[in-house]
């Protein structure tokens, strides 16, 4: 019983801690990039964002939030605040789509790897990933499949689509609605830049 408790604590710590550490790291990155040009900031953020997405426990939301802070701050001098939000949203959206392809490729290339299957949660199977697997194996792009592709855990879901040998194009097409998650999250990060301006903005 004690062993099970410690395993639960470790699991919770890794999942929650990964999100917190990601946020702290990206906040540090924001400080370091404060005086760098927009092109350089964008290139660095794209590389770091893709690396973050390729780490199994890291969720996408902290990447989008930080994009709203880092990229909007870098772009607002030239394009204004709302232009910066649009630019940051586009960059984060493209990062997500590229990450989907890279994550799915991991599944394709390491389909026999016991470690990858364990990280995904299909061997040994857990209830959540077993359900996700069943939905992803449905024919066509059902509403349920699109909801999984958009709202499911980033790394495990996309790697699982690779393990299942699903079509890259279909998975990308089914993931396009993630824009409705990316844009508000980027905006939420960007709004942190304007807290000191009070409740009414021009």
């Amino acid at each position: 019983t004690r062993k099970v408790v410690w395993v639960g604590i470790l699991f919770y710590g890794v999942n929650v801690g990964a999100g917190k550490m990601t946020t702290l790291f990206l906040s540090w990155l924001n400080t370091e990039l404060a005086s760098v040009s927009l092109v350089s900031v964008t290139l660095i953020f794209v590389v770091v964002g893709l690396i973050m997405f390729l780490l199994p426990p890291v969720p996408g939301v902290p990447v989008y939030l930080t994009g709203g802070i880092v990229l909007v701050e870098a772009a607002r001098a030239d394009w204004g605040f709302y232009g910066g939000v649009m630019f940051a949203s586009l960059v984060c959206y493209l990062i997500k789509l590229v990450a989907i392809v890279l994550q799915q490729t991991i599944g394709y290339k390491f389909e026999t790897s016991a470690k990858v299957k364990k990280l995904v949660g299909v061997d040994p199977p857990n209830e959540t990933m077993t359900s996700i697997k069943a939905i992803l194996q449905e024919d066509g792009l059902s509403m349920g499949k699109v909801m999984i592709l958009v709202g499911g855990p980033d790394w495990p879901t996309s790697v699982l689509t690779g393990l299942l040998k699903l079509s890259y194009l279909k998975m990308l097409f089914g993931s396009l609605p993630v824009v409705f998650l990316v844009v508000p999250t980027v905006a939420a990060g960007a709004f942190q830049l304007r807290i000191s301006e009070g409740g009414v903005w021009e």
Side-chain angles (χ1 to χ4, degrees):
T1 304
R2 182 176 296 178
K3 185 177 181 180
V4 173
V5 171
W6 280 110
V7 169
I9 292 173
L10 178 62
F11 178 80
Y12 181 81
V14 169
N15 278 272
V16 175
K20 297 296 184 183
M21 289 304 295
T22 300
T23 302
L24 288 173
F25 168 73
L26 292 174
S27 297
W28 168 82
L29 181 65
N30 177 42
T31 303
E32 293 298 309
L33 296 179
S35 59
V36 181
S37 69
L38 176 59
V39 173
S40 298
V41 168
T42 302
L43 290 176
I44 293 170
F45 183 79
V46 168
V47 172
V48 172
L50 287 174
I51 292 173
M52 293 290 101
F53 269 112
L54 292 177
L55 300 177
V58 176
V61 169
V63 177
Y64 308 146
L65 281 170
T66 306
I69 298 172
V70 174
L71 296 176
V72 174
E73 180 64 22
R76 69 191 298 190
D78 296 323
W79 300 342
F81 177 78
Y82 295 105
V85 171
M86 293 175 63
F87 173 73
S89 297
L90 177 61
V91 172
C92 288
Y93 187 47
L94 293 176
I95 289 175
K96 171 61 177 175
L97 295 181
V98 172
I100 288 171
V101 174
L102 296 177
Q103 291 163 344
Q104 189 170 353
T105 301
I106 292 174
Y108 267 95
K109 298 295 185 181
F110 299 96
E111 61 176 318
T112 60
S113 170
K115 287 186 177 180
V116 170
K117 291 180 179 179
K118 185 175 182 180
L119 286 170
V120 170
V122 294
D123 188 16
N126 66 52
E127 187 175 338
T128 301
M129 294 310 297
T130 299
S131 301
I132 289 175
K133 180 179 177 180
I135 294 171
L136 290 175
Q137 288 178 309
E138 295 176 355
D139 293 332
L141 280 175
S142 64
M143 179 63 72
K145 185 181 288 189
V146 172
M147 295 297 287
I148 291 297
L149 292 172
V150 172
D154 295 277
W155 192 91
T157 299
S158 293
V159 173
L160 179 57
T161 62
L163 293 174
L164 297 175
K165 300 298 185 183
L166 300 178
S167 165
Y168 279 102
L169 288 178
K170 289 182 179 178
M171 296 306 99
L172 277 174
F173 184 73
S175 301
L176 292 179
V178 76
V179 68
F180 296 109
L181 169 64
V182 172
V183 174
T185 309
V186 168
F191 290 153
Q192 299 301 310
L193 298 170
R194 307 195 67 171
I195 289 178
S196 62
E197 298 179 28
V200 180
W201 304 333
E202 294 183 1

